[in-house]
Amino acid sequence: MPDELIKWLHILYGYFHDLGIAVYIGGAVAMEFVLGPAQNSIPPAQAQVMGQKTADRFLWLVWGSLGFIIVTGLLRLQRMGMIVDEWPFFQPPVSWDESYGRTLFVMFLIWCALVVNGVLITFVLRPRLSGKMSAGISAAQVNARQGSRLQAARWIMHLTRADLVLALIAALLGASLKWGGIL
Ligand code: HEM
C-alpha cells in the first residue's frame, strides 16, 4: 500500500474517531446544560413533548457516535500493527503488562458501559415515557402511569449524566495513549 494512502488512513481514522467522541460528548453536554434547564422553564406537558422529540434525535447521534468510536478505534489499532489477524490478535503495547494496554482496556470497558446505558435508555426507559394512556383507565392507573413516567425520566437523567462523566474520563485516557497511557 503506498505510503501516502497509509498516511491518509491514519488521518481519517483519527479524524472520525475524534468526530465520534465530539458528537457523543457535545450531545451529552447540550442535553445536560442546555436542554435540561430550558425544559424546566416551560409547562410540564410541553416539557415532556420537547423532551421526547429531542431525545429521539439525540439517541440516533448516540448510537451513530458509539459505532464510529469502536470501529475507528479498532481500525486505528489494526493500522498501527497492534491488532493482527492471527492469535494472539493483540500485539504489544496492547497487553495487560503495559500501561498502554491497561488504559485502552479501561477505555473499552467504558465504551461497553455507554452501550449498556444506551440500551437501557432506548429499549427500557424511553418506551415507558412515550406510551399513550388508553381511554377508560381508572384514576389510580393514571397516577401509577404518571409515577412510572416520572421515574423513567429521572433514571434517563441520571444515566445521561453518568455517561457524560464516563465519556470525559475515556477522553482523558485516550489523550494519554500517545504518551503510553496512564494506568
Ligand atoms: C468512549 C470511548 C472513547 C473515547 C472518549 C476515546 C477518546 C480518545 C481520544 C481523546 C484519543 C486521543 C486523540 C486521538 O489520538 O484521536 C483517542 C485515541 C485513540 N483511541 Fe479512543 N476513545 C474511546 C474508545 C476507544 C476504543 C473502544 C478504542 C479501541 C477499540 C479506542 C482506540 C483508540 C486509539 C487506537 C487511539 C490512538 C492512540 C495512539 O495514538 O496511540 N478508543 N481516543
Side-chain angles (χ1 to χ4, degrees), residues 7-158:
K7 182 181 88 177
W8 271 103
L9 285 177
H10 274 290
I11 293 169
L12 290 173
Y13 293 158
Y15 170 68
F16 286 116
H17 194 68
D18 297 348
L19 209 58
I21 297 150
V23 167
Y24 189 92
I25 293 179
V29 166
M31 293 297 273
E32 180 62 28
F33 297 105
V34 180
L35 182 82
Q39 239 180 321
N40 297 336
S41 65
I42 58 175
Q46 287 165 1
Q48 194 186 337
V49 175
M50 182 181 162
Q52 218 156 356
K53 299 268 177 243
T54 48
D56 287 348
R57 287 168 177 269
F58 177 52
L59 281 173
W60 283 107
L61 289 181
V62 164
W63 288 116
S65 56
L66 286 174
F68 259 74
I69 289 171
I70 192 75
V71 170
T72 53
L74 292 170
L75 285 171
R76 292 182 87 175
L77 290 175
Q78 189 254 347
R79 185 75 355 243
M80 291 194 281
M82 295 177 191
I83 292 183
V84 293
D85 49 17
E86 61 198 24
W87 183 259
F89 301 110
F90 292 102
Q91 302 294 308
V94 181
S95 73
W96 192 250
D97 315 329
E98 312 239 8
S99 173
Y100 192 101
R102 290 190 295 273
T103 306
L104 198 63
F105 181 67
V106 172
M107 286 166 66
F108 178 66
L109 286 185
I110 290 176
W111 182 85
C112 294
L114 299 180
V115 168
V116 169
N117 288 349
V119 166
L120 287 174
I121 292 174
T122 310
F123 301 108
V124 180
L125 297 170
R126 288 204 50 66
R128 272 203 224 154
L129 268 188
S130 50
K132 292 257 173 306
M133 294 265 189
S134 43
I137 61 171
S138 71
Q141 285 170 314
V142 170
N143 282 346
R145 286 296 306 278
Q146 284 293 23
S148 136
R149 276 189 177 169
L150 275 177
Q151 197 194 35
R154 215 172 294 125
W155 267 109
I156 289 176
M157 187 182 65
H158 293 324

